[in-house]
């Protein structure tokens, strides 16, 4: 049938389908297009684990923040609404990134690099402000963000794009170092001026993961690791308060030295007591005592201590098991990739999540000094959560393209190292 404007119903329906948002049916067909073998199962496992961690994060952030919110006269569930909003924004971005081609992601990475460096520099303008002793926050109207967290996503995509473009030349150290190291060093230097050593370490591990899983020669990687270690050491020493914190950690045992119980050891001690108070089964969600203004940063850097108190040993082990499963799934997916960009993205994302999780938990357990690193997908913080979900979306885009590129059932995809395919 022809409408008044001269269009047939079929053509009008086609236009409506083009402009409509992705439906559940289209998302389902996207998953089904991966086939019925391991690739589809691993992709579904990746999505399920990420959604489960995000859900745990919303619940635990609400639990850890409720007392402070009520004390400040705020809406009791404001933290849950805010974290849920960030999760919704991140998941929407995940869907958008997952539907992009890797070629478009590679082009986008250069624009994101420019934007990320500009945002990092704006931290030292009147728009930036200090929180927790670190000047790495930016306020844009009613929204605050942490550009260093956004740079993790930026460097993941940009470094992977450079590796993909220069893959045939990556056997020579000069092509590995340029332009990757100068740009990464610039980003790290801007970040370290604000005093955030934890983010600096995660950025270094992320970039190293991109290079390592891209099978860069070990002697070149060893040189990069040495330069990175020296750089982190120098950047640590130029900040007196950071040196003091490291020396205090090395010299003082917070569990036995009562002299520092009310100052430098306060946060660590209350983190230990929260974990110990949970026992095996925990005191129940919402029943933490440490969150009653005893434990600083309970909803961000020390949320693992609240998980231990409220969910007990079983809860903490379950959370760690989810992270281990996520890392295993990412490695399994990377092992089925052949395109350099996909391998680097999945390898860098694995290093990012693994390093950030281990540093956060090590801080709570007292194995390393307090560094201010959030627990991936769980800690409160919009920039961190959205950036991670966008990175997962980029990984899904790589997986989709790998499946399409193979042109076969996913069982016949060549494993990592069996072939090198330039993009």
């Amino acid at each position: 049938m022809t409408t008044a404007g001269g269009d047939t119903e079929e053509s009008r329906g086609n236009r409506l389908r083009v402009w409509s948002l992705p439906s559940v049916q289209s998302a389902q067909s996207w998953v089904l297009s991966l086939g019925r073998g391991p690739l589809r199962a691993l992709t579904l496992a990746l999505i399920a684990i990420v959604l489960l961690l995000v859900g745990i994060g919303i619940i635990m952030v609400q639990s850890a923040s409720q007392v402070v919110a009520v004390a400040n006269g705020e809406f009791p569930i404001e933290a849950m609404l805010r974290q849920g909003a960030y999760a919704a924004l991140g998941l929407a971005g995940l869907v958008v990134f997952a539907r992009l081609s890797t070629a478009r992601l590679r082009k986008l990475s250069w624009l994101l690099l420019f934007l990320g460096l500009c945002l990092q520099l704006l931290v030292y303008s009147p728009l930036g402000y200090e929180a927790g002793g670190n000047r790495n926050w930016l306020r844009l109207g009613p929204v605050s963000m942490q550009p260093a967290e956004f740079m993790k996503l930026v460097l993941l995509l940009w470094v992977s794009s450079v590796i993909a473009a220069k893959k045939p030349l990556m056997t020579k150290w000069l092509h590995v170092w340029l332009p990757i190291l100068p740009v990464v060093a610039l980003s790290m230097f801007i970040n370290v001026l604000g005093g955030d050593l934890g983010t600096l370490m995660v950025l270094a591990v992320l970039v190293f993961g991109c290079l390592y899983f891209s099978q860069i020669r070990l002697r070149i990687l060893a040189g990069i690791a040495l330069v990175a270690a020296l750089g982190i050491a120098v950047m640590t020493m130029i900040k007196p308060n950071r040196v003091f914190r490291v020396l205090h950690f090395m010299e003082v045992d917070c569990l036995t030295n009562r002299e520092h119980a009310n100052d430098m050891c306060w946060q660590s001690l209350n983190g230990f007591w929260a974990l110990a108070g949970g026992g095996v089964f925990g005191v129940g969600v919402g029943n933490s005592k440490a969150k009653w203004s005893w434990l600083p940063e309970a909803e961000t850097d020390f949320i693992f201590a609240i998980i231990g108190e409220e969910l007990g040993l079983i809860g903490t082990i379950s959370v760690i098991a989810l992270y281990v499963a996520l890392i295993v799934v990412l490695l399994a997916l990377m092992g089925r990739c052949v395109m350099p960009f996909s391998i680097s993205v999945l390898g860098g994302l694995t290093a990012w999540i693994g390093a950030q999780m281990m540093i956060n938990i090590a801080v709570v357990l007292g194995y390393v000094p307090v560094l201010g690193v959030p627990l991936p997908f769980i800690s409160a913080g919009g920039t961190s959560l959205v950036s991670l979900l966008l990175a997962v979306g980029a990984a899904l885009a790589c997986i989709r393209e790998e499946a399409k590129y193979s042109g076969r059932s996913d069982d016949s995809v060549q494993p990592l190292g069996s072939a090198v395919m330039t993009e």
Side-chain angles (χ1 to χ4, degrees), residues 122-155:
L122 281 176
V123 167
Y124 306 103
S125 73
L127 295 174
Y129 66 97
E130 185 174 314
N134 297 329
R135 188 179 178 87
N136 55 3
W137 292 89
L138 190 63
R139 191 179 301 281
L140 301 173
V143 179
S144 62
M145 66 174 300
Q146 197 171 358
E149 292 292 333
F150 177 64
M151 280 304 296
K152 296 174 184 176
L153 168 68
V154 171
L155 290 179

Side-chain angles (χ1 to χ4, degrees), residues 249-269:
F249 172 79
M250 296 175 64
E251 296 175 358
V252 176
D253 184 359
C254 289
L255 288 174
T256 59
N257 193 321
R258 296 186 178 183
E259 180 182 351
H260 299 276
N262 292 322
D263 46 65
M264 291 294 292
C265 287
W266 177 265
Q267 190 171 22
S268 295
L269 278 175

Side-chain angles (χ1 to χ4, degrees), residues 239-314:
K239 280 287 198 178
N241 65 326
R242 193 181 298 127
V243 175
F244 176 74
R245 284 165 59 184
V246 173
L247 291 176
H248 179 273
F249 172 79
M250 296 175 64
E251 296 175 358
V252 176
D253 184 359
C254 289
L255 288 174
T256 59
N257 193 321
R258 296 186 178 183
E259 180 182 351
H260 299 276
N262 292 322
D263 46 65
M264 291 294 292
C265 287
W266 177 265
Q267 190 171 22
S268 295
L269 278 175
N270 280 280
F272 296 153
W273 292 335
L275 286 170
V280 176
F281 300 103
V283 297
V285 177
N287 296 324
S288 166
K289 296 179 180 178
K291 67 184 181 184
W292 288 75
S293 300
W294 291 103
L295 180 61
E297 308 297 336
E299 74 281 7
T300 54
D301 304 337
F302 272 72
I303 197 167
F304 188 74
I306 302 299
I307 293 174
E309 186 180 10
E310 296 191 346
L311 302 181
L313 179 64
I314 293 177

Side-chain angles (χ1 to χ4, degrees), residues 10-351:
E10 182 180 357
S11 63
R12 192 162 63 95
N14 288 335
R15 285 206 308 274
L16 288 175
R17 282 194 292 273
V18 169
W19 290 103
S20 63
L21 291 174
S23 64
V24 175
Q25 185 177 2
S26 65
Q28 186 180 20
S29 64
W30 182 90
V31 174
L32 290 174
S33 68
L34 297 175
R36 294 187 176 274
L39 189 59
R40 179 190 176 194
L42 289 169
T43 303
L44 291 174
L46 171 64
I47 297 172
I49 294 171
V50 168
L51 291 177
L52 188 55
L53 287 171
V54 171
I56 292 172
I58 294 173
I59 295 171
M60 296 312 303
V61 166
Q62 167 59 27
S63 178
S65 306
Q66 184 172 351
V67 172
V68 176
V70 173
N72 292 336
E74 299 173 351
F75 193 48
I77 61 171
E78 181 173 343
M80 182 176 69
L81 295 177
R82 182 169 58 249
Q83 189 74 0
Y86 287 135
L89 178 62
L91 290 171
L94 181 152
V95 172
V96 172
F97 267 45
R99 295 172 67 88
L100 295 177
S101 66
T102 56
R104 183 162 294 182
L105 284 173
R106 288 170 58 180
K107 291 179 181 178
L108 182 63
S109 68
W110 290 90
L111 175 61
L112 292 178
L113 178 64
F114 175 76
L115 177 62
L117 290 174
C118 289
L119 290 175
Q120 279 194 294
L121 290 172
L122 281 176
V123 167
Y124 306 103
S125 73
L127 295 174
Y129 66 97
E130 185 174 314
N134 297 329
R135 188 179 178 87
N136 55 3
W137 292 89
L138 190 63
R139 191 179 301 281
L140 301 173
V143 179
S144 62
M145 66 174 300
Q146 197 171 358
E149 292 292 333
F150 177 64
M151 280 304 296
K152 296 174 184 176
L153 168 68
V154 171
L155 290 179
L156 175 70
L157 296 177
W158 181 78
V159 170
S160 299
S161 298
V162 173
I163 291 174
K166 301 179 67 175
K167 183 62 179 177
L169 303 172
M170 297 299 277
T171 56
K172 301 177 181 179
W173 69 269
L174 183 62
H175 288 282
V176 176
W177 286 52
L178 296 175
I180 293 175
L181 259 63
V183 173
V184 173
L186 174 62
S187 175
M188 288 183 173
F189 180 73
I190 296 172
N191 182 68
V192 81
L193 291 176
D196 190 354
L197 181 61
T199 300
L200 184 72
M201 295 173 64
V202 176
L203 283 173
V205 174
L206 186 158
V207 174
F208 190 84
C210 290
L211 295 170
Y212 175 79
F213 289 110
S214 296
Q215 298 181 336
I216 305 301
R217 290 181 176 179
L218 289 179
R219 65 172 180 269
I220 299 177
L221 290 177
I224 293 174
L226 179 61
V227 171
L230 290 174
I232 290 175
V234 170
M235 292 176 183
T236 301
M237 295 174 64
I238 62 176
K239 280 287 198 178
N241 65 326
R242 193 181 298 127
V243 175
F244 176 74
R245 284 165 59 184
V246 173
L247 291 176
H248 179 273
F249 172 79
M250 296 175 64
E251 296 175 358
V252 176
D253 184 359
C254 289
L255 288 174
T256 59
N257 193 321
R258 296 186 178 183
E259 180 182 351
H260 299 276
N262 292 322
D263 46 65
M264 291 294 292
C265 287
W266 177 265
Q267 190 171 22
S268 295
L269 278 175
N270 280 280
F272 296 153
W273 292 335
L275 286 170
V280 176
F281 300 103
V283 297
V285 177
N287 296 324
S288 166
K289 296 179 180 178
K291 67 184 181 184
W292 288 75
S293 300
W294 291 103
L295 180 61
E297 308 297 336
E299 74 281 7
T300 54
D301 304 337
F302 272 72
I303 197 167
F304 188 74
I306 302 299
I307 293 174
E309 186 180 10
E310 296 191 346
L311 302 181
L313 179 64
I314 293 177
T316 56
I317 291 178
S318 299
V319 169
I320 293 174
L322 283 175
Y323 283 116
V324 172
L326 179 58
I327 291 170
V328 170
V329 168
L330 286 171
L331 289 174
L333 286 167
M334 184 187 63
R336 305 188 68 79
C337 293
V338 294
M339 294 188 292
F341 181 77
S342 303
I343 294 169
S344 179
V345 167
L346 287 163
L349 180 58
T350 302

